[in-house]
Amino acid sequence: MPMMTADQYEASLRALNLEVYMFGKRVTNVVDDPIIRPSMNAVAKTYELAHDPAYADLMTARSHLSGKRINRFTHIHQSTDDLVKKSKMGRLLGRKTGCCFQRCVGMDALNALSIITYNIDQKHETHYNERFKRYLATVQEKDLVCDGAMTDPKGDRSLPPHRQPDPDHYLRIVEKREDGIVVRGAKAHQTGAVNSHEVIVMPTIAMGEADRDYAVSFALPSDARGIIYILGRQSCDTRKLEGGAMDQGNMLFGGHEALVVFDDVFVPWDRVFMCGEYEFAGSLVEMFAAYHRQSYACKVGVGDVLIGAAQLAAEYNGAARASHVKDKLIEMNHLNETLYCGCLACATEGKKKLSGTYAVNTLLANIHKQNVTRFPYEIARLAQDIAGGLMVTLPSQKDLDGDATGKWVQKYFKAQPGIPTADRMRILRLIENLTLGTAAVGYLTESMHGAGSPQAQRIMIGRKINMAEKKTAAMRLCGIDVKSE
Amino acid sequence: MPMMTADQYEASLRALNLEVYMFGKRVTNVVDDPIIRPSMNAVAKTYELAHDPAYADLMTARSHLSGKRINRFTHIHQSTDDLVKKSKMGRLLGRKTGCCFQRCVGMDALNALSIITYNIDQKHETHYNERFKRYLATVQEKDLVCDGAMTDPKGDRSLPPHRQPDPDHYLRIVEKREDGIVVRGAKAHQTGAVNSHEVIVMPTIAMGEADRDYAVSFALPSDARGIIYILGRQSCDTRKLEGGAMDQGNMLFGGHEALVVFDDVFVPWDRVFMCGEYEFAGSLVEMFAAYHRQSYACKVGVGDVLIGAAQLAAEYNGAARASHVKDKLIEMNHLNETLYCGCLACATEGKKKLSGTYAVNTLLANIHKQNVTRFPYEIARLAQDIAGGLMVTLPSQKDLDGDATGKWVQKYFKAQPGIPTADRMRILRLIENLTLGTAAVGYLTESMHGAGSPQAQRIMIGRKINMAEKKTAAMRLCGIDVKSE
Amino acid sequence: MPMMTADQYEASLRALNLEVYMFGKRVTNVVDDPIIRPSMNAVAKTYELAHDPAYADLMTARSHLSGKRINRFTHIHQSTDDLVKKSKMGRLLGRKTGCCFQRCVGMDALNALSIITYNIDQKHETHYNERFKRYLATVQEKDLVCDGAMTDPKGDRSLPPHRQPDPDHYLRIVEKREDGIVVRGAKAHQTGAVNSHEVIVMPTIAMGEADRDYAVSFALPSDARGIIYILGRQSCDTRKLEGGAMDQGNMLFGGHEALVVFDDVFVPWDRVFMCGEYEFAGSLVEMFAAYHRQSYACKVGVGDVLIGAAQLAAEYNGAARASHVKDKLIEMNHLNETLYCGCLACATEGKKKLSGTYAVNTLLANIHKQNVTRFPYEIARLAQDIAGGLMVTLPSQKDLDGDATGKWVQKYFKAQPGIPTADRMRILRLIENLTLGTAAVGYLTESMHGAGSPQAQRIMIGRKINMAEKKTAAMRLCGIDVKSE
Amino acid sequence: MPMMTADQYEASLRALNLEVYMFGKRVTNVVDDPIIRPSMNAVAKTYELAHDPAYADLMTARSHLSGKRINRFTHIHQSTDDLVKKSKMGRLLGRKTGCCFQRCVGMDALNALSIITYNIDQKHETHYNERFKRYLATVQEKDLVCDGAMTDPKGDRSLPPHRQPDPDHYLRIVEKREDGIVVRGAKAHQTGAVNSHEVIVMPTIAMGEADRDYAVSFALPSDARGIIYILGRQSCDTRKLEGGAMDQGNMLFGGHEALVVFDDVFVPWDRVFMCGEYEFAGSLVEMFAAYHRQSYACKVGVGDVLIGAAQLAAEYNGAARASHVKDKLIEMNHLNETLYCGCLACATEGKKKLSGTYAVNTLLANIHKQNVTRFPYEIARLAQDIAGGLMVTLPSQKDLDGDATGKWVQKYFKAQPGIPTADRMRILRLIENLTLGTAAVGYLTESMHGAGSPQAQRIMIGRKINMAEKKTAAMRLCGIDVKSE
């Protein structure tokens, strides 16, 4: 170390002792659970590719702390070039896994904290940044996966944290002790939570003075006492239990999300990065959100998979030369590459912050994410158009393999000469997976709501646009007196 | 009879002896199979509502053969008013079931055959129409469900039926006998096949003289010897096996589709409605397609359910008063009602055919269906926007009920005061069902491909538009000489 | 009479004495003014076609007052069939003129008043309806064009009429006399105002008791003393002054809109249809708006012209067989026919009101108009795509005719063999006219704002949707207790 | 020099002797012609801003030939930073002028030739690149405006150049002489042609050996003997002749396009850059097109103006606080910034060519331009929505100034307190100008067709996408054997 291999990563997870529940029952062996396993595989890919020379430039970076080569997911961006490579790494991994590989949320939390802890120290003469850098050095050295945990359950959305009927609906400090703090609450939608070594908690909203106890950020080992994980279920999740992989669509990789409960958990001071400085809650949220909206670069890579699958489906169906099919594939590519432009542009227009960290251009990161809430849905619609209705009326793999049914399935779902019926079924199942199944959760719904719902981006776009400049430009051209400029 | 009750319908299905396979195994009790049962329930609703005085006007009609009141699903349209009521019945049942209720395809087949058998007789001095009317009288009298079976596997799409490498890739006559014919082939994507008493087979494409053996239409009891059903699987199908209904989303109703194999099946002459008159294959397809494209009126009713669910989700989340949420709901309604306009207009612009049957306006039926391939996807996207990310990260019902997990689920997914957490979960599961789960198969992918894929409608729109009239109008206005009119 | 010819109509306009201004100067001969003349031609078409047997069924109706055959533009709808014919007449005239023919607004005002005057009488025991019917009889007998005038200038939009800084920003009663009332104010955007015999004034907004003086409706001869017309200018309006018609695009027809000022105008009692009954102002607006939103059926006819022109441009450019061009034309038709479905459906779903008049379905009329604010823009965009850039870089007709330039224009803008260069220029000028020129005002911007801006329709859609029914449907399916129904 | 001032630029144009026609007549004083003048002003802005220290970084560059600071429009890109600055310069000038400033087409021609002349020399051992560099040195030293002329009239689009019925429908060499060549033909849609010092001719299409005489590229002074300019007319062009600037909308700037005829024009050898090397015609077109598609960065700046105008219209109308208005403005910005991402990304992903010139990423430049064919239309539609119908029914400036009409216009078009009626009219006229008038030609139709029509970009997208990579990614995930990689 630094830079674990995929095998070392898996071994490191086995050494943890997480309290995980699914379908109402404790999961004792998380790593080998067939529903969770594909999501572990996806994270493992971030380790594997870091050792592949072909991808070293994208997947690794040189630590500004240690000078050592580290996995980029633990790196603090030192240039716009780093930001660009982050976007390209996201697309690469999306294409390699066809799903959410979960590790960017921790990278985004680390980068946001590297900036905000510095800013808090500037105002309050605290020492959060030093503390954070020591923590970061460990993360880089051990090559850890961090879950960046932001979203509180929120309860009544019209009320601030301190006025909630249930005060735990935002995570909060319930006790301050000499050696640390005790926290209570929960974080919802935690991507890849049970594949993580660490969980980094941040507030979810801008706060006022009365919310002081809610303005808290810290890191904990994922198996700290009192942390409980309840896995969310996904469309088609139990196909992974059926045995035989074809019906899963994506045989190898997946994602997961969990509710993470903090049942009065102790955090030692050296892992606390914000503690009551409520006026920085909003800027931490905004900074993390901007980084994380950029991270939706990964959906371009998942889009690559879906486009490739649609192209194959067209070929296997014998329709690839129809002009309308070719045009739909061009449209899918056009939309996908438009997304790519967004995640590149917010990176190249990034700027250095006081702490030395490079931040993305907030406006363009929001523009990018807003398009991510739209285009994957249209790409998915076009993929279903090209796939044909068979995608949802196809019998199961067991029917293909069945004594009484196999011959009929083989005979009647054969299409192009030379293409095995099973391959045609596989590619249709992959499209099903990406547009209706487990991967649709990541490619569609998470594209909508991850890193903030569409309206959150619209609010930021409204705020970050320089409307005065535009008004002045218009006034000049039509002869309205521009008083002050 | 006529007009079975829902209970009688269920009993009638139990009396059948279908050869059904699912997951590679024979299903011995089709009616009670937990995966199939909800689809039976949906068909049963078409019987139940026919006995409800509130819906009598939409759900029933007076037979032009017997003069008796019959279920509208067995009726031959005698006026544009009948056509309008068909559209309204479709919306009603879509709203009541939230899924595909499967029975329209048989109605559409009956109506198309009532016209085309007449037309064949006019040319060939055959007696198909009389034969068909006798068959129809039985269907009306016994109030039967008919599966209208059109789509062949098609094999190599660039080749006509008679040139396929596998000659069975289009269903065909393999033997003509004194007492009838023997047929071989398969029909794919057969909606509600195993809930049907009858299967009505039609060709799938316009044909030439060399395809004569493929130009065949007939009806058979669904349990005729040699008919084999292999069920297609759907997204989230096995949730119905889990016990506990919440995670199904729609607890009551569903759809199904099957591959129907005809393994050298005998058809007596009195059930044969086309036998070699290849030049009518195209018009039968076109007529059935026009009727069936109108039938996508049902998606307006399913849209009603999804809009209602989104409204409830907004209320349960505490977001119903946000202006962007209200605007999205208006947009969903706008799109849904635009669809409604289409299925009404193709009905009111319908015309009487020589046989006396009223046909829909083909152009407008295609316009309607084309919009159905688009708007439900956007409605679904907006529903996911309103629902929030919790829709795909929600733990299972077993977690809600679990000893260790229930309290956390109850506590942290509580939102609006007075709304039980379980109700919030139910409505999110319903939205999941309609946008990713079993019902998404019907609301989205079937909306895309059922009754013909989008390109099929575009071809018809191109054909049915009166472009000469438009060109003349333009020429007149700009002073180009219009030679002939 | 009834039923003037086009010539009689023109003569009748010459007999009027309107006070009209344009470009700051009095227009003394309105009928022959080259800028106004094409708009007169468009109205004249509504007279001409009423005498054409081919269109008699659409263009005329039998008066429920006199039993005589009258121009449908003066008719009170007696059935849904009348409403359907109104929509079809709109499409017909849009296709014949390629612009706004201006006469529907009066028809819509008459129909709305036929309902609301009846309702006022029911509550207030007034006699407005009788008075209105006498007025209507004259309109029908003399076959008059009425301008239906609703839109006030509105001043500060956040304030009701009685609180405006300038009290005249909504039209109001400034004096009540024994023989009538005196009114002051203005109506903006008055379509076809100077081609009208009559102006029918209605309030523009729902009102409260304090707005009583603003709750006024009446009719006046268009040349009543004190009425002043100031014409609005349109994109490319002065091309009509250039001589030589090619550059106009549409050589024959056009529209116009005017500000109509009421400078203390006297109205005798027998022409007053509402006078202070403020609580009916809102329903009059809503009823007129619903009728007038249906009237945007005409844009389907204008769409026909634009589609025909685009088809011709493709042919003249030699691009008509390219698959993308064919597909774009299909899309244009698809959108145009979707609009047609809307204006038909709101008519067939119409209902009889207490007064006996048939009203359109308000929800669907709003759905229709909402689509009209979108689809013509996309049709226009596609037309520009097909036309090619030459549409906006084409030299003038004078260049085509010029000694030094003609040969070059002829030589280098020649495309398809057999197609005169002049014809290619004509069709491109027509597309320019419809997408950027005088007709774009009607086809695009008026489609956006006429009969209420898009947000007005969204508000009505929100109001008219039965959300309770949809919520109940959703609750039933997912097992939420439905308390009351 | 280098770097003329705006005044020097104007003087330099006066020194030219162009043969220009408009409305069939010779224009003797081009610079002062009221219709052409605003387009000269727009080009002059490229000179003016180059002397403004605030914009020096964007507007100027250091010549790689002379080392002197030059206007960026004459610069050969030496880095991706240069490419990024080109995009930002485009946005800046679009915002400053609200129209097409015409000078990018020459910059793009110079850069494309810098690459392709080098490539030709590599194959053919010619000396075009040296010749080109000498020419370039002059352009930089004298700070000239070059018209980059590509689009031939094309005649019958189904035929290659050498098979056209009229052989001049593609520009060609008609004579080769010892001292040079003689060319004949025409170039259509030439933006800013009569404001240029030079015209640089390139072929318009990939060519075969038989088209050898058409494979020609050269530069000429714009007033060379035999070059004839016929100006295209624009929507609302003659408003500039009316006197009084308000109705023009944009009082200051405009664009123009012209047909440029080459009536047997002599070109000396030192200005010939391709002469028969047909196999490079396609790559010159593709390279120029990629650069020029990037240049549509300018439309982002024009979008800024339109957004600013819409914001002002909302404020002047008193509607700026309505949530739907705010949301529409956010949407306009969202679309505009999405375009910005495209023109940045194709620049940052640029690559160095053999000649040393940096080229944009061709795929992303095409993605960018494709969005430019869509989003400005939607931004314009939303601007019209916000502006209100008054934009097209507003009386003329002469009505505002007229004795009889002025008081009514002042009174009834007054809206917000403190905002002069004239200012409200000005901003509405500006929106009219940008969505229907002279500037709509540039912002809409030129966005559609300039630098290639939408289908041209789709063809390039189809070619440049790496579909094999996507197919492999999909196959791996669903278990299909990937034979070769």
Side-chain angles (χ1 to χ4, degrees), chain C residues 465-473:
Chain C
I465 279 289
N466 183 347
M467 196 59 98
E469 183 185 62
K470 293 180 211 298
K471 284 163 65 173
T472 301

Side-chain angles (χ1 to χ4, degrees), chain C residues 24 169 377 384 399 411 449, chain D residues 24 169 377 384 399 411 449:
Chain C
H169 272 177
Y377 284 85
Q384 290 199 356
D399 291 305
K411 177 180 175 71
H449 292 291
Chain D
H169 272 177
Y377 284 84
Q384 290 200 356
D399 291 304
K411 176 181 176 70
H449 292 291

Side-chain angles (χ1 to χ4, degrees), chain D residues 24-82:
Chain D
K25 292 195 184 135
R26 179 80 187 259
V27 180
T28 48
N29 179 345
V30 175
V31 174
D32 296 312
D33 182 276
I35 286 186
I36 300 173
R37 175 87 199 178
S39 75
M40 195 281 287
N41 290 342
V43 182
K45 200 77 181 176
T46 71
Y47 289 92
E48 179 194 326
L49 292 191
H51 292 276
D52 184 334
Y55 304 118
D57 190 46
L58 292 186
M59 293 298 305
T60 70
R62 195 160 298 283
S63 169
H64 72 300
L65 297 180
S66 68
K68 292 182 191 164
R69 189 137 289 269
I70 55 175
N71 193 302
R72 185 174 296 280
F73 281 101
T74 68
H75 183 54
I76 300 301
H77 314 298
Q78 300 299 309
S79 63
T80 58
D81 185 57
D82 270 348

Side-chain angles (χ1 to χ4, degrees), chain A residues 265-336:
Chain A
V265 184
F266 173 74
V267 191
W269 283 118
D270 63 347
R271 284 172 158 272
V272 176
F273 308 131
M274 174 189 283
C275 187
E277 294 83 2
Y278 62 88
E279 74 273 36
F280 288 91
S283 56
L284 178 53
V285 172
E286 190 176 308
M287 188 58 61
F288 171 77
Y291 278 127
H292 203 41
R293 286 164 195 180
Q294 175 201 15
S295 286
Y296 280 74
C298 65
K299 303 306 180 198
V300 184
V302 181
D304 287 334
V305 173
L306 185 51
I307 292 166
Q311 173 70 35
L312 288 165
E315 294 174 7
Y316 294 178
N317 290 344
R321 274 173 301 191
S323 65
H324 75 95
V325 170
K326 286 192 286 188
D327 195 63
K328 284 163 189 165
L329 283 157
I330 286 171
E331 182 65 17
M332 293 165 79
N333 275 308
H334 171 64
L335 295 173
N336 203 44

Side-chain angles (χ1 to χ4, degrees), chain C residues 176-225:
Chain C
K176 282 195 196 180
R177 295 173 14 188
E178 201 166 319
D179 52 350
I181 58 177
V182 178
V183 297
R184 186 189 299 159
K187 294 289 181 178
H189 321 310
Q190 289 310 300
T191 301
V194 307
N195 296 326
S196 301
H197 306 97
E198 291 279 325
V199 53
I200 302 175
V201 166
M202 297 165 286
T204 201
I205 203 174
M207 292 177 176
E209 190 167 359
D211 301 316
R212 186 181 290 273
D213 289 344
Y214 295 87
V216 61
S217 176
F218 57 85
L220 280 173
S222 55
D223 60 354
R225 177 188 299 265

Side-chain angles (χ1 to χ4, degrees), chain A residues 5-280:
Chain A
T5 65
D7 287 346
Q8 288 167 332
Y9 166 61
E10 181 175 337
S12 71
L13 288 185
R14 289 187 193 281
L16 297 175
N17 180 25
L18 273 57
E19 185 176 348
V20 176
Y21 296 90
M22 189 165 45
F23 297 118
K25 290 194 186 136
R26 180 81 187 259
V27 180
T28 47
N29 180 345
V30 175
V31 172
D32 296 312
D33 182 276
I35 287 185
I36 300 173
R37 175 87 199 178
S39 74
M40 196 281 287
N41 291 342
V43 182
K45 201 76 181 176
T46 70
Y47 288 92
E48 179 194 326
L49 292 191
H51 291 275
D52 184 334
Y55 304 118
D57 189 45
L58 293 186
M59 293 298 305
T60 69
R62 195 159 299 281
S63 169
H64 72 300
L65 296 182
S66 68
K68 293 182 189 165
R69 190 137 288 272
I70 55 174
N71 193 303
R72 185 174 296 281
F73 281 102
T74 67
H75 183 54
I76 300 302
H77 313 300
Q78 300 299 308
S79 63
T80 58
D81 185 57
D82 270 347
L83 291 169
V84 168
K85 284 176 177 156
K86 178 194 158 186
S87 286
K88 291 184 175 179
M89 174 176 71
R91 182 175 189 170
L92 170 68
L93 280 162
R95 190 167 61 238
K96 289 289 184 187
T97 62
C99 68
C100 174
F101 42 85
Q102 310 149 52
R103 203 175 172 188
C104 56
V105 69
M107 167 175 54
D108 296 333
L110 292 172
N111 275 276
L113 281 169
S114 81
I115 294 168
I116 303 302
T117 53
Y118 185 92
N119 293 351
I120 299 177
D121 291 351
Q122 295 300 304
K123 176 168 180 195
H124 289 288
E125 302 189 359
T126 43
H127 302 282
Y128 290 125
N129 191 246
E130 273 314 301
R131 199 185 270 175
F132 169 76
K133 284 201 276 190
R134 281 193 300 272
Y135 174 73
L136 175 67
T138 306
V139 169
Q140 290 185 343
E141 180 63 24
K142 296 193 174 172
D143 199 6
L144 301 179
V145 175
C146 302
D147 170 28
M150 181 167 275
T151 309
D152 291 290
K154 294 202 204 86
D156 184 330
R157 280 154 200 245
S158 65
L159 300 174
H162 73 280
R163 292 191 49 216
Q164 291 291 325
D166 182 338
D168 305 338
H169 273 176
Y170 287 78
L171 188 143
R172 65 190 176 115
I173 305 163
V174 289
E175 188 186 350
K176 284 196 194 177
R177 294 176 9 191
E178 200 166 321
D179 52 349
I181 57 177
V182 178
V183 296
R184 186 188 300 160
K187 294 289 181 179
H189 321 309
Q190 288 311 299
T191 301
V194 308
N195 295 326
S196 300
H197 306 96
E198 291 280 324
V199 53
I200 301 175
V201 166
M202 297 164 286
T204 201
I205 203 172
M207 291 178 177
E209 190 167 359
D211 301 315
R212 186 182 288 273
D213 289 344
Y214 295 87
V216 61
S217 178
F218 56 86
L220 281 174
S222 55
D223 60 353
R225 177 187 299 265
I227 302 185
I228 300 152
Y229 300 85
I230 305 174
L231 266 91
R233 73 177 308 180
Q234 298 185 326
S235 175
C236 300
D237 44 12
T238 55
R239 286 202 193 171
K240 298 180 222 167
L241 303 176
E242 292 179 6
M246 184 191 285
D247 289 2
Q248 291 178 36
N250 186 333
M251 288 166 39
L252 305 174
F253 301 110
H256 79 250
E257 278 161 328
L259 176 72
V260 183
V261 176
F262 293 81
D263 186 16
D264 289 358
V265 184
F266 173 74
V267 191
W269 283 118
D270 63 347
R271 284 172 158 272
V272 176
F273 308 131
M274 174 189 283
C275 187
E277 294 83 2
Y278 62 88
E279 74 273 36
F280 288 91

Side-chain angles (χ1 to χ4, degrees), chain B residues 391-402:
Chain B
M391 188 196 89
V392 292
T393 66
L394 203 58
S396 66
Q397 181 177 6
K398 286 177 181 161
D399 291 305
L400 178 69
D401 297 340

